[in-house]
Amino acid sequence: MDEFNEKETEQTEETKKDEKIEINKNDETVRKVLFCLCYLWGILFFIPLILYKDDVAKMRANDGLILLLLSVIGNVVLGILTSISSIFGWLAGVWSLLLLLLGIIGIVYVVTDKNEPLPVIGKIRLIK
């Protein structure tokens, strides 16, 4: 019975070694994925700031923060206005669509290695 437990323990240790995934933050693919997360979920804008100290990371984090703030503030304001008149519901939908398009443009910029800020909102700098 002890032999069976020893073999089982050895197998689980080997499985754990095989399942271990190492993430190299200097890998370009990992870098791109982390930058894309800024545009997908704005709340994750701080990840490039923690892992990378270059200007491109600051620009991506800034764009993600701006998108997050515009989303939260715009949706709160338009949500309140929608309770007054239903026409603002349509405006809220258009607002969300525009923010989604800006996020998609940001992801395309990351994937194609275009080191440019987002159109329209890229001139706003909160992270220096």
Side-chain angles (χ1 to χ4, degrees):
M1 196 170 225
D2 288 330
E3 292 177 27
F4 178 74
N5 287 338
E6 288 177 19
K7 288 181 181 179
E8 186 177 321
T9 306
E10 289 176 13
Q11 288 176 348
T12 56
E13 287 177 7
E14 288 177 17
T15 306
K16 287 180 184 179
K17 288 178 185 177
D18 293 340
E19 291 176 356
K20 189 182 231 184
I21 299 173
E22 293 185 25
I23 297 177
N24 183 2
K25 74 175 190 173
N26 295 325
D27 185 22
E28 191 64 28
T29 305
V30 172
R31 183 177 169 96
K32 286 182 179 183
V33 168
L34 292 175
F35 287 167
C36 287
L37 288 177
C38 290
Y39 296 113
L40 287 176
W41 295 288
I43 195 72
L44 298 177
F45 74 90
F46 61 89
I47 292 177
L49 290 176
I50 294 171
L51 295 177
Y52 306 103
K53 304 296 182 195
D54 59 352
D55 291 335
V56 176
K58 289 180 183 177
M59 179 187 63
R60 301 290 182 209
N62 185 69
D63 289 347
L65 177 61
I66 298 294
L67 280 176
L68 174 67
L69 291 175
L70 287 175
S71 176
V72 169
I73 293 169
N75 287 330
V76 167
V77 169
L78 289 169
I80 292 169
L81 292 175
T82 301
S83 66
I84 297 170
S85 174
S86 62
I87 191 74
F88 291 108
W90 290 92
L91 190 59
V94 171
W95 179 255
S96 296
L97 182 64
L98 290 174
L99 292 177
L100 175 67
L101 289 175
L102 282 173
I104 291 170
I105 290 170
I107 291 171
V108 169
Y109 281 3
V110 168
V111 172
T112 58
D113 291 327
K114 237 182 182 179
N115 292 330
E116 297 178 17
L118 288 176
V120 182
I121 66 168
K123 295 179 177 108
I124 302 170
R125 288 280 162 227
L126 296 179
I127 299 174
K128 305 273 181 198

